[in-house]
Structures are given as structure tokens and as C-alpha cells.
Amino acid sequence: MIAAAITKSKIKINGVNEEHLRPVIEKLKECGIIFSDYKDNSVIVDGRGHKRPLDIKTLPYPGFPTDMQAQMMSLLSVVEGVSVITETVFENRFMHVAELQRMGANIKIDGRTAIIEGISKLTGCEVKATDLRAGAAMILGGLIAEGQTEISDIYHIDRGYVNIEEKFKNLGAEIYRVSI
């Protein structure tokens, strides 16, 4: 869903349990993402429209999931205006911020709050997947970054996402795994 939003794309996603994703869907709608055709556990996500900044506070289920905070931060880093993410569930959940900043994101941390001033574009560079969620955030940032993005420590990504590069290739992304 966030990939559709950040790449300004329209995609159909299968295997969606709308109730489990309600807080994420509601925040994406608030941001300007359009959801349609909920049927047979699928949804069409349209991220082509104008996006608005958000205020997000992570909470235990059924609130906004801390596990989606890093990915939303990637999106908000390129949404015009000022967004705020407050992390209430886990301490030290902002390790991805330094990596997004390397890509040019304008993010300031104040305790458990991140203030994100959206910029027009991210710049590709070498970044690190500091954990599973940060790895997903780096992929999302890399999808829209100008230039090449190289992500190291991808074993974190592999822990939670099976064949993620193939899934993104199937959506048209130029993404590949290299051996070093």
C-alpha cells in the first residue's frame, strides 16, 4: 500500500485483511491515497493523487502499528508539508532516520517524536537495513530516489519478506540482489 503511495502508482493487492489493516488504511486515506474495490480479500490502492502530511501516533493493536512507522516515514519524507510521528510502543525505533537522512530526508528527532518536513525527492546512496522495518523503508525510499540506492545488511529484510525483490520487479521496479 505504501509502495503504491510513494511511487504514485495504482496497484491491486491480493490477500488483504482490511480489518487488520484498518489504522494503516485510514492514515493513508487521510494522506490522500484512494482505496477501492474491496472484494475477495483484495483492494486497489491508488497513490497517484496529491498527498497531505500526517500526524501519527503508534499504539498497540488496534491502534496504528509501530511495525509500519518506518515505512510511513519514507512516504512522509516526500510529502509536502510537516508530518509528525510519535512512537509510543518501543524505544529506539527511529534507527532508520539516519539512513533516510543520508538520502536527503529532512527529519528531526525530539525524544519519541520525529518531525518530518517533506522534500521533493530523495537521492540514491548507500544505506543500511538496520532492522526489518528499516529495510522496508529503505526499499521504499530507493524506489523513488534519484540515482542508485544500495542497501546493505539485507539479511534483516530477508527475515520478514520472502522474495521481496521479485514482488517489486513484478510491479515494474528496477530492483535486484547482488552478491558481494
Side-chain angles (χ1 to χ4, degrees), residues 2-3 5-6 24 27-28 31 51-58 64-88 90 92-119 121-122 130-131 133-142 144:
I2 296 173
I6 201 167
V24 175
K27 279 297 177 183
L28 286 170
C31 186
K51 297 178 189 59
R52 297 176 293 277
L54 296 174
D55 286 347
I56 296 173
K57 183 177 188 178
T58 64
F64 189 88
T66 186
D67 287 347
M68 292 302 298
Q69 177 259 106
Q71 298 91 316
M72 285 295 282
M73 193 175 294
S74 285
L75 169 62
L76 295 174
S77 70
V78 292
V79 170
E80 184 180 336
V82 177
S83 296
V84 177
I85 298 178
T86 304
E87 175 59 57
T88 70
F90 289 111
N92 202 21
R93 231 338 136 80
F94 289 142
M95 294 191 317
H96 55 281
V97 169
E99 302 306 306
L100 285 170
Q101 288 170 329
R102 291 170 49 78
M103 298 177 86
N106 186 357
I107 305 168
K108 308 254 185 304
I109 302 298
D110 183 10
R112 289 183 163 223
T113 301
I115 298 114
I116 306 114
E117 188 170 336
I119 59 174
K121 66 178 179 179
L122 296 175
T130 55
D131 62 38
R133 293 140 203 92
M138 295 305 100
I139 289 172
L140 292 168
I144 59 157

Side-chain angles (χ1 to χ4, degrees), residues 81-179:
V82 177
S83 296
V84 177
I85 298 178
T86 304
E87 175 59 57
T88 70
V89 179
F90 289 111
E91 288 184 42
N92 202 21
R93 231 338 136 80
F94 289 142
M95 294 191 317
H96 55 281
V97 169
E99 302 306 306
L100 285 170
Q101 288 170 329
R102 291 170 49 78
M103 298 177 86
N106 186 357
I107 305 168
K108 308 254 185 304
I109 302 298
D110 183 10
R112 289 183 163 223
T113 301
I115 298 114
I116 306 114
E117 188 170 336
I119 59 174
S120 61
K121 66 178 179 179
L122 296 175
T123 303
C125 65
E126 293 182 14
V127 292
K128 194 185 311 186
T130 55
D131 62 38
L132 171 63
R133 293 140 203 92
M138 295 305 100
I139 289 172
L140 292 168
L143 288 174
I144 59 157
E146 190 171 277
Q148 183 172 307
T149 301
E150 184 176 316
I151 305 170
S152 63
D153 294 350
I154 63 169
Y155 62 90
H156 290 296
I157 298 168
D158 289 339
R159 283 188 313 111
Y161 299 101
V162 177
N163 297 322
I164 193 165
E165 68 273 14
E166 293 303 317
K167 292 172 184 171
F168 278 115
K169 279 182 188 177
N170 289 337
L171 290 170
E174 187 178 330
I175 181 173
Y176 52 93
R177 184 180 296 253
V178 295
S179 299

